[in-house]
Amino acid sequence: MKIRSKLLIGSGILIALIILLSGLGIGNLNKANDNVEYLYEDRYRKLVKAYELRGEINNLSKRLTNIATVPSQANLLVNRREMDASYQAAVKALTELNESFTTEEERLIMQDMIEAGRPFIQYRDRIIQLVEAGKGDEARALRENEGLRLAD
C-alpha cells in the first residue's frame, strides 16, 4: 500500500472520529439544555410562586398584628383593605402553584400547607370579630396568647 493511500485512510478515520465526537458533544449539549430548561420551567417557576405566596402570607400576618395591637375601627378599615388584597394575591399564587404540581408528593405537600393555614384563618376571623365588636383588649390578649403561638 502506498503512503498516499495510508494517509487518505488515516485522514478519513480521523475525520470520522471528529464527526462522531462532535455529534456526541452536540447531543450532550442538547441534553444539558433540556435539563436547564426543565429546571427553569418546572422548579424555578414553582419556587418563585412559593416565595410570592410566602410574601403575601407575611403581609397578612403583619396587617393582622397591626389590627390586634391597635384595635380601632379606623385601623381595622385601613389594614383590612390591605389584608383583602394580600389574601387575594395569596389565593392566586396558591392556585397557580397547585396547578403547576405534577407529582403526588407535591400535591400532598400542598394539602399539608392548606391544613396548616386553617388555624391562622380562624385566628384572623376571631381577631376581626373582636375588634369589630369593640373588644380591643380581648383582641390584644388573643394575639399575645394564640397569635404568638401560631407564629412559631
Side-chain angles (χ1 to χ4, degrees), residues 117-137:
R118 289 191 199 288
F120 177 79
I121 292 170
Q122 293 167 349
Y123 165 73
R124 176 202 65 188
D125 293 344
R126 286 200 321 258
I127 289 284
I128 290 172
Q129 287 170 353
L130 288 170
V131 173
E132 286 177 338
K135 299 178 180 177
D137 290 337

Side-chain angles (χ1 to χ4, degrees), residues 72-130:
S72 69
Q73 294 298 322
N75 190 37
L76 176 65
L77 184 64
V78 169
N79 282 288
R80 187 131 190 219
R81 264 188 262 131
E82 296 294 327
M83 278 181 65
D84 289 344
S86 288
Y87 182 77
Q88 293 303 319
V91 167
K92 181 180 180 226
L94 189 66
T95 302
E96 290 173 1
L97 188 59
N98 196 33
E99 289 171 354
S100 71
F101 287 156
T102 55
T103 67
E104 188 61 30
E105 182 182 12
E106 290 172 326
R107 289 185 184 94
L108 289 174
I109 291 170
M110 177 61 71
Q111 266 318 110
D112 289 345
M113 283 175 37
I114 291 169
E115 289 301 317
R118 289 191 199 288
F120 177 79
I121 292 170
Q122 293 167 349
Y123 165 73
R124 176 202 65 188
D125 293 344
R126 286 200 321 258
I127 289 284
I128 290 172
Q129 287 170 353
L130 288 170

